[in-house]
Amino acid sequence: PAPLIEDDARAMLESLKGYPILRGARGMPPADLSALIDALLKFSRLCTDLRDEVREIDINPLVVFEDGRGAKALDCLVVPGR
């Protein structure tokens, strides 16, 4: 449920099957989990703030760079409400 809190966002990520990859499995550097959590929290607030004006938002892809380098939405579709 929105808005998310940091503990919920972290728990959601940790529940993902691919979470070990975000942590740096298979010789890859760890992803910037702080930036990803921040993006989830901000997106959650955005959805809450715009709930009466926007029907749906699709972000694809959201790229998470290695630790300390951030995250970036490369494409986003916003469908106006009613």
Side-chain angles (χ1 to χ4, degrees), residues 65-80:
F65 300 104
E66 64 185 65
D67 194 26
R69 302 207 49 214
K72 181 183 265 191
L74 298 184
D75 191 25
C76 179
L77 172 69
V78 178
V79 178

Side-chain angles (χ1 to χ4, degrees), residues 9-69:
R10 187 173 304 282
M12 289 169 57
L13 291 176
E14 290 173 355
S15 74
L16 295 172
K17 185 177 180 179
Y19 182 70
I21 294 170
L22 293 172
R23 296 283 313 224
R26 300 181 184 167
M28 298 295 293
D32 195 337
L33 293 175
S34 295
L36 178 54
I37 290 169
D38 185 55
L40 289 171
L41 296 175
K42 288 177 179 175
F43 183 72
S44 175
R45 282 193 303 273
L46 177 72
C47 290
T48 301
D49 291 346
L50 298 178
R51 69 181 167 268
D52 295 328
E53 299 172 44
V54 174
R55 190 171 69 211
E56 60 185 85
I57 301 174
D58 180 28
I59 297 174
N60 187 16
L62 176 69
V63 177
V64 183
F65 300 104
E66 64 185 65
D67 194 26
R69 302 207 49 214

